[in-house]
Amino acid sequence: MMTSLDKINALKKINGWAIVSEFAVGGFEWLGFSKLRPELLFVISSQKNTVFNCEDGTIQNCDLIYDEDEMVAFSDVVRDEAISLVGQYGGELKKTTVQGEQIIESKDNNISSLTFISKDGKAIQIFENYSLYTFGFNDNGNYFLICNDGGITVLKRTCN
């Protein structure tokens, strides 16, 4: 199994991507990327609701309402947008990008493994551990995250 440090070291090996932040989320429930402002990641926990800017790494509290059955959220940060939610209770982020990358998940005895495949076909194992909640790319493929019980790690594309 990979430690948190192993994961960070593996993520640093992905060409064209950089880690923006790794942060803890107490009581994680849901998250969702904005489509109108693709750099914004909304995070819902039992403690508070925040919006994370994947471009500059800033986090701020936000007001939002959400429906767990419909798996959508609404916030005044991005008016008139229904933000699709994913989390440990359902939903999925994109596993491929239009640029040609993909993430492949495999499971063995409750241990999840993630492999990042670059557009040139290079495979890098980036995660192997218990308690994987969700992972994937935002809609435009410029941001990527891994969320588990240790928190959320966010990467951004540094070159096309």
Short mmCIF file of all heavy atoms in Angstrom, two decimals, residues 16-85:
data_model
loop_
_atom_site.label_atom_id
_atom_site.label_comp_id
_atom_site.label_asym_id
_atom_site.label_seq_id
_atom_site.Cartn_x
_atom_site.Cartn_y
_atom_site.Cartn_z
N GLY A 16 3.53 17.58 -17.02
CA GLY A 16 2.50 18.53 -17.44
C GLY A 16 1.45 18.81 -16.37
O GLY A 16 0.47 19.50 -16.65
N TRP A 17 1.64 18.28 -15.16
CA TRP A 17 0.69 18.48 -14.08
C TRP A 17 1.46 18.88 -12.82
O TRP A 17 2.59 18.45 -12.61
CB TRP A 17 -0.10 17.20 -13.79
CG TRP A 17 -1.07 16.86 -14.86
CD1 TRP A 17 -0.81 16.20 -16.04
CD2 TRP A 17 -2.45 17.18 -14.89
NE1 TRP A 17 -1.95 16.08 -16.77
CE2 TRP A 17 -2.97 16.67 -16.10
CE3 TRP A 17 -3.31 17.83 -14.01
CZ2 TRP A 17 -4.32 16.81 -16.45
CZ3 TRP A 17 -4.64 17.96 -14.35
CH2 TRP A 17 -5.13 17.46 -15.56
N ALA A 18 0.81 19.71 -11.98
CA ALA A 18 1.41 20.14 -10.71
C ALA A 18 0.37 20.06 -9.60
O ALA A 18 -0.82 20.32 -9.82
CB ALA A 18 1.93 21.58 -10.82
N ILE A 19 0.83 19.71 -8.43
CA ILE A 19 -0.06 19.67 -7.26
C ILE A 19 -0.37 21.10 -6.84
O ILE A 19 0.53 21.91 -6.62
CB ILE A 19 0.58 18.89 -6.10
CG1 ILE A 19 0.82 17.44 -6.51
CG2 ILE A 19 -0.28 18.97 -4.85
CD1 ILE A 19 1.66 16.64 -5.53
N VAL A 20 -1.65 21.42 -6.74
CA VAL A 20 -2.09 22.74 -6.28
C VAL A 20 -2.17 22.74 -4.76
O VAL A 20 -1.69 23.65 -4.10
CB VAL A 20 -3.46 23.12 -6.88
CG1 VAL A 20 -3.95 24.45 -6.33
CG2 VAL A 20 -3.42 23.12 -8.38
N SER A 21 -2.78 21.69 -4.22
CA SER A 21 -2.97 21.64 -2.77
C SER A 21 -3.38 20.24 -2.34
O SER A 21 -3.89 19.46 -3.14
CB SER A 21 -4.08 22.62 -2.36
OG SER A 21 -4.25 22.67 -0.97
N GLU A 22 -3.12 19.98 -1.08
CA GLU A 22 -3.64 18.79 -0.43
C GLU A 22 -4.20 19.27 0.90
O GLU A 22 -3.48 19.90 1.68
CB GLU A 22 -2.54 17.75 -0.22
CG GLU A 22 -3.07 16.48 0.41
CD GLU A 22 -2.04 15.35 0.40
OE1 GLU A 22 -0.89 15.60 0.78
OE2 GLU A 22 -2.43 14.24 0.04
N PHE A 23 -5.49 19.05 1.13
CA PHE A 23 -6.10 19.58 2.35
C PHE A 23 -7.07 18.57 2.94
O PHE A 23 -7.67 17.77 2.23
CB PHE A 23 -6.80 20.92 2.08
CG PHE A 23 -7.82 20.90 0.97
CD1 PHE A 23 -9.16 20.70 1.24
CD2 PHE A 23 -7.43 21.11 -0.35
CE1 PHE A 23 -10.11 20.69 0.22
CE2 PHE A 23 -8.37 21.10 -1.38
CZ PHE A 23 -9.71 20.89 -1.08
N ALA A 24 -7.19 18.63 4.26
CA ALA A 24 -8.08 17.73 4.99
C ALA A 24 -9.50 18.27 4.95
O ALA A 24 -9.72 19.48 4.92
CB ALA A 24 -7.63 17.59 6.43
N VAL A 25 -10.46 17.36 4.94
CA VAL A 25 -11.88 17.72 4.99
C VAL A 25 -12.53 16.85 6.04
O VAL A 25 -12.72 15.66 5.84
CB VAL A 25 -12.57 17.51 3.62
CG1 VAL A 25 -14.05 17.84 3.72
CG2 VAL A 25 -11.89 18.32 2.53
N GLY A 26 -12.86 17.46 7.17
CA GLY A 26 -13.54 16.71 8.23
C GLY A 26 -14.99 16.47 7.87
O GLY A 26 -15.71 17.39 7.51
N GLY A 27 -15.42 15.23 7.91
CA GLY A 27 -16.81 14.90 7.62
C GLY A 27 -17.18 15.05 6.15
O GLY A 27 -18.30 15.44 5.82
N PHE A 28 -16.24 14.73 5.25
CA PHE A 28 -16.50 14.86 3.81
C PHE A 28 -17.79 14.15 3.41
O PHE A 28 -18.05 13.03 3.83
CB PHE A 28 -15.34 14.28 2.99
CG PHE A 28 -15.65 14.18 1.53
CD1 PHE A 28 -15.59 15.31 0.73
CD2 PHE A 28 -16.03 12.99 0.95
CE1 PHE A 28 -15.90 15.24 -0.63
CE2 PHE A 28 -16.35 12.90 -0.40
CZ PHE A 28 -16.27 14.03 -1.19
N GLU A 29 -18.59 14.84 2.57
CA GLU A 29 -19.80 14.25 2.02
C GLU A 29 -19.84 14.29 0.50
O GLU A 29 -20.02 13.26 -0.14
CB GLU A 29 -21.04 14.95 2.61
CG GLU A 29 -21.18 14.71 4.11
CD GLU A 29 -22.35 15.45 4.72
OE1 GLU A 29 -23.10 16.13 3.98
OE2 GLU A 29 -22.52 15.34 5.94
N TRP A 30 -19.69 15.48 -0.08
CA TRP A 30 -19.85 15.65 -1.52
C TRP A 30 -18.86 16.68 -2.05
O TRP A 30 -18.39 17.54 -1.31
CB TRP A 30 -21.26 16.14 -1.86
CG TRP A 30 -22.35 15.25 -1.39
CD1 TRP A 30 -23.10 15.38 -0.25
CD2 TRP A 30 -22.83 14.07 -2.03
NE1 TRP A 30 -24.00 14.36 -0.16
CE2 TRP A 30 -23.86 13.54 -1.24
CE3 TRP A 30 -22.49 13.41 -3.21
CZ2 TRP A 30 -24.55 12.38 -1.57
CZ3 TRP A 30 -23.18 12.26 -3.55
CH2 TRP A 30 -24.20 11.76 -2.74
N LEU A 31 -18.62 16.62 -3.36
CA LEU A 31 -17.89 17.69 -4.05
C LEU A 31 -18.38 17.78 -5.47
O LEU A 31 -19.03 16.86 -5.98
CB LEU A 31 -16.37 17.46 -3.98
CG LEU A 31 -15.76 16.19 -4.60
CD1 LEU A 31 -15.67 16.26 -6.12
CD2 LEU A 31 -14.38 15.97 -4.03
N GLY A 32 -18.08 18.90 -6.10
CA GLY A 32 -18.46 19.08 -7.50
C GLY A 32 -17.72 20.24 -8.13
O GLY A 32 -17.49 21.26 -7.49
N PHE A 33 -17.33 20.06 -9.39
CA PHE A 33 -16.69 21.13 -10.16
C PHE A 33 -17.76 21.98 -10.84
O PHE A 33 -18.75 21.46 -11.34
CB PHE A 33 -15.80 20.55 -11.26
CG PHE A 33 -14.47 20.04 -10.79
CD1 PHE A 33 -14.23 18.68 -10.72
CD2 PHE A 33 -13.45 20.92 -10.46
CE1 PHE A 33 -12.99 18.20 -10.31
CE2 PHE A 33 -12.22 20.45 -10.05
CZ PHE A 33 -11.98 19.08 -9.97
N SER A 34 -17.52 23.28 -10.90
CA SER A 34 -18.37 24.18 -11.69
C SER A 34 -18.07 23.99 -13.16
O SER A 34 -16.91 23.79 -13.54
CB SER A 34 -18.10 25.63 -11.28
OG SER A 34 -18.75 26.52 -12.17
N LYS A 35 -19.08 24.04 -13.99
CA LYS A 35 -18.87 24.02 -15.44
C LYS A 35 -18.70 25.44 -15.97
O LYS A 35 -17.98 25.66 -16.94
CB LYS A 35 -20.04 23.32 -16.13
CG LYS A 35 -20.08 21.84 -15.85
CD LYS A 35 -21.21 21.15 -16.54
CE LYS A 35 -21.17 19.68 -16.14
NZ LYS A 35 -22.29 18.93 -16.62
N LEU A 36 -19.36 26.41 -15.32
CA LEU A 36 -19.25 27.80 -15.75
C LEU A 36 -17.89 28.39 -15.40
O LEU A 36 -17.36 29.21 -16.14
CB LEU A 36 -20.36 28.65 -15.11
CG LEU A 36 -21.79 28.29 -15.49
CD1 LEU A 36 -22.79 29.13 -14.70
CD2 LEU A 36 -21.99 28.49 -16.98
N ARG A 37 -17.37 28.00 -14.26
CA ARG A 37 -16.04 28.43 -13.81
C ARG A 37 -15.26 27.17 -13.45
O ARG A 37 -15.23 26.75 -12.31
CB ARG A 37 -16.16 29.38 -12.63
CG ARG A 37 -16.87 30.68 -13.03
CD ARG A 37 -16.69 31.82 -12.08
NE ARG A 37 -15.34 31.99 -11.61
CZ ARG A 37 -15.06 32.55 -10.42
NH1 ARG A 37 -16.02 32.98 -9.64
NH2 ARG A 37 -13.81 32.69 -10.03
N PRO A 38 -14.64 26.52 -14.44
CA PRO A 38 -14.05 25.19 -14.27
C PRO A 38 -12.98 25.10 -13.19
O PRO A 38 -12.66 24.00 -12.74
CB PRO A 38 -13.46 24.87 -15.64
CG PRO A 38 -14.00 25.86 -16.59
CD PRO A 38 -14.50 27.01 -15.81
N GLU A 39 -12.42 26.22 -12.77
CA GLU A 39 -11.39 26.20 -11.72
C GLU A 39 -11.98 26.07 -10.32
O GLU A 39 -11.24 25.86 -9.36
CB GLU A 39 -10.51 27.45 -11.81
CG GLU A 39 -11.15 28.73 -11.30
CD GLU A 39 -12.10 29.44 -12.26
OE1 GLU A 39 -12.43 28.89 -13.33
OE2 GLU A 39 -12.53 30.55 -11.93
N LEU A 40 -13.29 26.18 -10.18
CA LEU A 40 -13.93 26.14 -8.87
C LEU A 40 -14.41 24.74 -8.50
O LEU A 40 -15.13 24.09 -9.27
CB LEU A 40 -15.09 27.11 -8.79
CG LEU A 40 -14.74 28.59 -8.97
CD1 LEU A 40 -15.98 29.45 -8.80
CD2 LEU A 40 -13.64 29.02 -8.02
N LEU A 41 -14.02 24.31 -7.31
CA LEU A 41 -14.41 23.01 -6.76
C LEU A 41 -15.19 23.27 -5.48
O LEU A 41 -14.66 23.87 -4.54
CB LEU A 41 -13.16 22.17 -6.46
CG LEU A 41 -13.38 20.87 -5.70
CD1 LEU A 41 -14.18 19.87 -6.54
CD2 LEU A 41 -12.04 20.27 -5.29
N PHE A 42 -16.42 22.84 -5.44
CA PHE A 42 -17.26 23.00 -4.25
C PHE A 42 -17.16 21.74 -3.40
O PHE A 42 -17.27 20.63 -3.93
CB PHE A 42 -18.71 23.28 -4.66
CG PHE A 42 -18.86 24.62 -5.32
CD1 PHE A 42 -18.62 24.78 -6.68
CD2 PHE A 42 -19.21 25.73 -4.57
CE1 PHE A 42 -18.73 26.02 -7.28
CE2 PHE A 42 -19.33 26.97 -5.16
CZ PHE A 42 -19.09 27.12 -6.52
N VAL A 43 -16.93 21.93 -2.10
CA VAL A 43 -16.76 20.81 -1.18
C VAL A 43 -17.78 20.94 -0.06
O VAL A 43 -17.86 21.97 0.61
CB VAL A 43 -15.33 20.77 -0.60
CG1 VAL A 43 -15.17 19.60 0.36
CG2 VAL A 43 -14.29 20.70 -1.71
N ILE A 44 -18.55 19.88 0.14
CA ILE A 44 -19.57 19.84 1.18
C ILE A 44 -19.14 18.84 2.23
O ILE A 44 -18.82 17.69 1.92
CB ILE A 44 -20.94 19.42 0.58
CG1 ILE A 44 -21.38 20.42 -0.49
CG2 ILE A 44 -21.98 19.26 1.68
CD1 ILE A 44 -22.55 19.96 -1.32
N SER A 45 -19.10 19.29 3.47
CA SER A 45 -18.79 18.39 4.58
C SER A 45 -19.84 18.59 5.66
O SER A 45 -20.63 19.52 5.61
CB SER A 45 -17.39 18.67 5.12
OG SER A 45 -17.37 19.79 5.97
N SER A 46 -19.80 17.74 6.65
CA SER A 46 -20.74 17.87 7.76
C SER A 46 -20.41 19.10 8.60
O SER A 46 -21.23 19.54 9.39
CB SER A 46 -20.72 16.61 8.62
OG SER A 46 -19.42 16.41 9.15
N GLN A 47 -19.21 19.67 8.42
CA GLN A 47 -18.79 20.82 9.21
C GLN A 47 -19.05 22.15 8.53
O GLN A 47 -19.41 23.12 9.18
CB GLN A 47 -17.31 20.70 9.56
CG GLN A 47 -17.02 19.48 10.40
CD GLN A 47 -15.55 19.31 10.70
OE1 GLN A 47 -14.72 20.07 10.24
NE2 GLN A 47 -15.22 18.30 11.48
N LYS A 48 -18.82 22.23 7.21
CA LYS A 48 -19.03 23.48 6.49
C LYS A 48 -18.97 23.24 4.99
O LYS A 48 -18.60 22.17 4.53
CB LYS A 48 -17.97 24.52 6.89
CG LYS A 48 -16.55 24.11 6.58
CD LYS A 48 -15.56 25.16 7.08
CE LYS A 48 -14.13 24.70 6.91
NZ LYS A 48 -13.19 25.70 7.37
N ASN A 49 -19.34 24.26 4.24
CA ASN A 49 -19.29 24.23 2.78
C ASN A 49 -18.23 25.22 2.32
O ASN A 49 -18.19 26.35 2.79
CB ASN A 49 -20.65 24.60 2.19
CG ASN A 49 -21.74 23.67 2.65
OD1 ASN A 49 -21.53 22.47 2.78
ND2 ASN A 49 -22.91 24.21 2.92
N THR A 50 -17.39 24.78 1.40
CA THR A 50 -16.32 25.64 0.93
C THR A 50 -16.23 25.58 -0.59
O THR A 50 -16.73 24.65 -1.23
CB THR A 50 -14.95 25.22 1.51
OG1 THR A 50 -14.70 23.85 1.20
CG2 THR A 50 -14.90 25.41 3.01
N VAL A 51 -15.57 26.59 -1.15
CA VAL A 51 -15.23 26.58 -2.56
C VAL A 51 -13.71 26.72 -2.64
O VAL A 51 -13.11 27.58 -2.00
CB VAL A 51 -15.97 27.68 -3.36
CG1 VAL A 51 -15.66 29.07 -2.85
CG2 VAL A 51 -15.67 27.56 -4.84
N PHE A 52 -13.11 25.80 -3.40
CA PHE A 52 -11.66 25.76 -3.58
C PHE A 52 -11.34 26.22 -4.98
O PHE A 52 -11.92 25.72 -5.95
CB PHE A 52 -11.15 24.33 -3.36
CG PHE A 52 -9.68 24.17 -3.60
CD1 PHE A 52 -8.76 24.59 -2.66
CD2 PHE A 52 -9.21 23.60 -4.78
CE1 PHE A 52 -7.40 24.46 -2.88
CE2 PHE A 52 -7.86 23.47 -5.01
CZ PHE A 52 -6.94 23.90 -4.05
N ASN A 53 -10.43 27.18 -5.11
CA ASN A 53 -10.00 27.64 -6.42
C ASN A 53 -8.80 26.79 -6.84
O ASN A 53 -7.72 26.91 -6.26
CB ASN A 53 -9.64 29.13 -6.37
CG ASN A 53 -9.32 29.68 -7.74
OD1 ASN A 53 -8.60 29.07 -8.51
ND2 ASN A 53 -9.89 30.83 -8.03
N CYS A 54 -9.00 25.93 -7.82
CA CYS A 54 -7.97 25.00 -8.26
C CYS A 54 -6.82 25.70 -8.98
O CYS A 54 -5.76 25.12 -9.15
CB CYS A 54 -8.56 23.95 -9.19
SG CYS A 54 -9.80 22.91 -8.42
N GLU A 55 -7.02 26.93 -9.39
CA GLU A 55 -5.97 27.67 -10.08
C GLU A 55 -4.96 28.26 -9.10
O GLU A 55 -3.76 28.14 -9.29
CB GLU A 55 -6.58 28.78 -10.95
CG GLU A 55 -5.61 29.40 -11.91
CD GLU A 55 -4.99 28.42 -12.89
OE1 GLU A 55 -5.63 27.43 -13.30
OE2 GLU A 55 -3.82 28.65 -13.25
N ASP A 56 -5.46 28.88 -8.02
CA ASP A 56 -4.53 29.54 -7.09
C ASP A 56 -4.47 28.92 -5.70
O ASP A 56 -3.71 29.37 -4.85
CB ASP A 56 -4.84 31.03 -7.00
CG ASP A 56 -6.21 31.33 -6.40
OD1 ASP A 56 -6.80 30.48 -5.70
OD2 ASP A 56 -6.71 32.45 -6.63
N GLY A 57 -5.29 27.90 -5.44
CA GLY A 57 -5.22 27.19 -4.16
C GLY A 57 -5.94 27.83 -3.00
O GLY A 57 -5.82 27.37 -1.87
N THR A 58 -6.72 28.87 -3.25
CA THR A 58 -7.44 29.52 -2.15
C THR A 58 -8.72 28.77 -1.81
O THR A 58 -9.35 28.17 -2.68
CB THR A 58 -7.78 30.98 -2.49
OG1 THR A 58 -8.57 31.01 -3.69
CG2 THR A 58 -6.52 31.81 -2.67
N ILE A 59 -9.05 28.80 -0.53
CA ILE A 59 -10.28 28.16 -0.04
C ILE A 59 -11.07 29.21 0.71
O ILE A 59 -10.52 29.96 1.52
CB ILE A 59 -9.97 27.00 0.92
CG1 ILE A 59 -9.15 25.92 0.23
CG2 ILE A 59 -11.27 26.40 1.47
CD1 ILE A 59 -8.69 24.79 1.15
N GLN A 60 -12.38 29.26 0.44
CA GLN A 60 -13.24 30.16 1.21
C GLN A 60 -14.57 29.48 1.50
O GLN A 60 -15.01 28.62 0.75
CB GLN A 60 -13.43 31.48 0.49
CG GLN A 60 -14.06 31.38 -0.88
CD GLN A 60 -14.09 32.72 -1.60
OE1 GLN A 60 -13.58 33.72 -1.12
NE2 GLN A 60 -14.69 32.75 -2.76
N ASN A 61 -15.16 29.88 2.60
CA ASN A 61 -16.48 29.37 2.94
C ASN A 61 -17.48 29.90 1.92
O ASN A 61 -17.29 30.98 1.36
CB ASN A 61 -16.90 29.81 4.34
CG ASN A 61 -16.07 29.14 5.42
OD1 ASN A 61 -15.45 28.11 5.19
ND2 ASN A 61 -16.03 29.74 6.59
N CYS A 62 -18.54 29.15 1.69
CA CYS A 62 -19.58 29.60 0.77
C CYS A 62 -20.94 29.11 1.25
O CYS A 62 -21.03 28.13 1.99
CB CYS A 62 -19.30 29.14 -0.66
SG CYS A 62 -19.47 27.36 -0.92
N ASP A 63 -21.95 29.81 0.81
CA ASP A 63 -23.32 29.38 1.06
C ASP A 63 -23.76 28.55 -0.13
O ASP A 63 -23.53 28.92 -1.28
CB ASP A 63 -24.25 30.58 1.20
CG ASP A 63 -24.00 31.34 2.49
OD1 ASP A 63 -23.66 30.69 3.50
OD2 ASP A 63 -24.13 32.57 2.48
N LEU A 64 -24.34 27.42 0.16
CA LEU A 64 -24.93 26.63 -0.92
C LEU A 64 -26.02 25.74 -0.35
O LEU A 64 -26.06 25.47 0.85
CB LEU A 64 -23.89 25.82 -1.70
CG LEU A 64 -23.01 24.77 -1.00
CD1 LEU A 64 -23.73 23.47 -0.80
CD2 LEU A 64 -21.79 24.52 -1.86
N ILE A 65 -26.90 25.36 -1.23
CA ILE A 65 -27.91 24.38 -0.87
C ILE A 65 -27.70 23.18 -1.79
O ILE A 65 -27.22 23.33 -2.92
CB ILE A 65 -29.35 24.94 -1.00
CG1 ILE A 65 -29.62 25.44 -2.42
CG2 ILE A 65 -29.59 26.04 0.01
CD1 ILE A 65 -31.07 25.80 -2.68
N TYR A 66 -28.03 22.00 -1.29
CA TYR A 66 -27.81 20.82 -2.11
C TYR A 66 -28.88 19.79 -1.84
O TYR A 66 -29.54 19.78 -0.81
CB TYR A 66 -26.41 20.24 -1.90
CG TYR A 66 -26.13 19.74 -0.49
CD1 TYR A 66 -26.25 18.39 -0.17
CD2 TYR A 66 -25.71 20.62 0.50
CE1 TYR A 66 -25.97 17.93 1.10
CE2 TYR A 66 -25.44 20.16 1.78
CZ TYR A 66 -25.56 18.83 2.07
OH TYR A 66 -25.30 18.37 3.34
N ASP A 67 -29.06 18.94 -2.83
CA ASP A 67 -30.04 17.86 -2.77
C ASP A 67 -29.28 16.55 -2.97
O ASP A 67 -28.75 16.30 -4.05
CB ASP A 67 -31.08 18.07 -3.86
CG ASP A 67 -32.19 17.04 -3.82
OD1 ASP A 67 -31.90 15.84 -3.57
OD2 ASP A 67 -33.36 17.41 -4.06
N GLU A 68 -29.21 15.74 -1.92
CA GLU A 68 -28.48 14.48 -1.99
C GLU A 68 -29.15 13.47 -2.92
O GLU A 68 -28.47 12.64 -3.51
CB GLU A 68 -28.33 13.87 -0.60
CG GLU A 68 -27.40 14.66 0.29
CD GLU A 68 -27.24 14.06 1.67
OE1 GLU A 68 -28.10 13.26 2.09
OE2 GLU A 68 -26.24 14.37 2.32
N ASP A 69 -30.47 13.53 -3.04
CA ASP A 69 -31.17 12.59 -3.92
C ASP A 69 -30.91 12.91 -5.39
O ASP A 69 -30.68 12.02 -6.20
CB ASP A 69 -32.68 12.61 -3.65
CG ASP A 69 -33.02 12.06 -2.27
OD1 ASP A 69 -32.30 11.16 -1.79
OD2 ASP A 69 -34.00 12.55 -1.67
N GLU A 70 -30.95 14.20 -5.72
CA GLU A 70 -30.69 14.62 -7.11
C GLU A 70 -29.21 14.80 -7.39
O GLU A 70 -28.80 14.95 -8.54
CB GLU A 70 -31.44 15.93 -7.40
CG GLU A 70 -32.93 15.81 -7.32
CD GLU A 70 -33.50 14.90 -8.39
OE1 GLU A 70 -33.00 14.91 -9.54
OE2 GLU A 70 -34.46 14.16 -8.08
N MET A 71 -28.39 14.83 -6.33
CA MET A 71 -26.94 15.00 -6.41
C MET A 71 -26.55 16.27 -7.17
O MET A 71 -25.73 16.27 -8.08
CB MET A 71 -26.28 13.76 -7.01
CG MET A 71 -26.44 12.56 -6.09
SD MET A 71 -25.91 10.97 -6.73
CE MET A 71 -24.28 11.27 -7.29
N VAL A 72 -27.17 17.39 -6.74
CA VAL A 72 -26.86 18.71 -7.28
C VAL A 72 -26.77 19.72 -6.15
O VAL A 72 -27.36 19.53 -5.08
CB VAL A 72 -27.89 19.21 -8.32
CG1 VAL A 72 -27.89 18.34 -9.56
CG2 VAL A 72 -29.26 19.32 -7.72
N ALA A 73 -26.01 20.79 -6.41
CA ALA A 73 -25.89 21.89 -5.45
C ALA A 73 -26.04 23.21 -6.20
O ALA A 73 -25.77 23.29 -7.40
CB ALA A 73 -24.54 21.83 -4.74
N PHE A 74 -26.46 24.23 -5.46
CA PHE A 74 -26.58 25.58 -6.01
C PHE A 74 -25.89 26.53 -5.05
O PHE A 74 -26.02 26.40 -3.84
CB PHE A 74 -28.06 25.97 -6.14
CG PHE A 74 -28.82 25.09 -7.09
CD1 PHE A 74 -29.46 23.95 -6.64
CD2 PHE A 74 -28.87 25.39 -8.44
CE1 PHE A 74 -30.14 23.12 -7.51
CE2 PHE A 74 -29.56 24.57 -9.32
CZ PHE A 74 -30.20 23.44 -8.85
N SER A 75 -25.15 27.49 -5.62
CA SER A 75 -24.42 28.46 -4.81
C SER A 75 -24.49 29.82 -5.48
O SER A 75 -24.53 29.91 -6.71
CB SER A 75 -22.95 28.04 -4.66
OG SER A 75 -22.20 29.05 -4.02
N ASP A 76 -24.46 30.87 -4.66
CA ASP A 76 -24.45 32.22 -5.23
C ASP A 76 -23.09 32.56 -5.85
O ASP A 76 -22.95 33.55 -6.54
CB ASP A 76 -24.86 33.26 -4.21
CG ASP A 76 -23.93 33.32 -3.01
OD1 ASP A 76 -23.04 32.46 -2.87
OD2 ASP A 76 -24.11 34.23 -2.17
N VAL A 77 -22.09 31.71 -5.64
CA VAL A 77 -20.77 31.92 -6.26
C VAL A 77 -20.86 31.74 -7.77
O VAL A 77 -20.21 32.46 -8.53
CB VAL A 77 -19.71 30.97 -5.65
CG1 VAL A 77 -18.37 31.11 -6.34
CG2 VAL A 77 -19.57 31.20 -4.15
N VAL A 78 -21.65 30.80 -8.22
CA VAL A 78 -21.92 30.58 -9.65
C VAL A 78 -23.44 30.51 -9.82
O VAL A 78 -24.04 29.46 -9.78
CB VAL A 78 -21.24 29.30 -10.19
CG1 VAL A 78 -19.75 29.50 -10.37
CG2 VAL A 78 -21.49 28.10 -9.30
N ARG A 79 -24.02 31.67 -10.01
CA ARG A 79 -25.48 31.76 -10.13
C ARG A 79 -25.98 31.00 -11.36
O ARG A 79 -25.28 30.88 -12.36
CB ARG A 79 -25.90 33.22 -10.23
CG ARG A 79 -25.57 34.01 -8.99
CD ARG A 79 -26.19 35.39 -9.04
NE ARG A 79 -25.73 36.22 -7.95
CZ ARG A 79 -26.20 36.17 -6.71
NH1 ARG A 79 -27.16 35.32 -6.43
NH2 ARG A 79 -25.73 36.96 -5.78
N ASP A 80 -27.17 30.46 -11.24
CA ASP A 80 -27.84 29.78 -12.35
C ASP A 80 -27.12 28.52 -12.83
O ASP A 80 -27.25 28.15 -13.99
CB ASP A 80 -28.06 30.73 -13.53
CG ASP A 80 -28.88 31.95 -13.15
OD1 ASP A 80 -29.82 31.80 -12.34
OD2 ASP A 80 -28.58 33.04 -13.65
N GLU A 81 -26.37 27.88 -11.94
CA GLU A 81 -25.73 26.63 -12.31
C GLU A 81 -26.08 25.55 -11.30
O GLU A 81 -25.98 25.76 -10.10
CB GLU A 81 -24.20 26.77 -12.36
CG GLU A 81 -23.53 25.45 -12.71
CD GLU A 81 -22.01 25.53 -12.77
OE1 GLU A 81 -21.42 26.54 -12.37
OE2 GLU A 81 -21.42 24.53 -13.23
N ALA A 82 -26.48 24.41 -11.81
CA ALA A 82 -26.67 23.23 -10.97
C ALA A 82 -25.35 22.47 -11.01
O ALA A 82 -24.94 21.96 -12.06
CB ALA A 82 -27.80 22.37 -11.49
N ILE A 83 -24.67 22.41 -9.88
CA ILE A 83 -23.37 21.76 -9.79
C ILE A 83 -23.59 20.28 -9.50
O ILE A 83 -24.18 19.92 -8.48
CB ILE A 83 -22.52 22.40 -8.67
CG1 ILE A 83 -22.35 23.89 -8.94
CG2 ILE A 83 -21.18 21.70 -8.52
CD1 ILE A 83 -22.02 24.70 -7.72
N SER A 84 -23.14 19.42 -10.39
CA SER A 84 -23.28 17.98 -10.19
C SER A 84 -22.36 17.53 -9.06
O SER A 84 -21.19 17.91 -9.01
CB SER A 84 -22.91 17.22 -11.46
OG SER A 84 -23.80 17.53 -12.48
N LEU A 85 -22.90 16.72 -8.15
CA LEU A 85 -22.15 16.27 -6.98
C LEU A 85 -21.70 14.82 -7.13
O LEU A 85 -22.39 14.00 -7.74
CB LEU A 85 -23.01 16.39 -5.73
CG LEU A 85 -23.46 17.79 -5.34
CD1 LEU A 85 -24.37 17.74 -4.14
CD2 LEU A 85 -22.26 18.70 -5.08
#
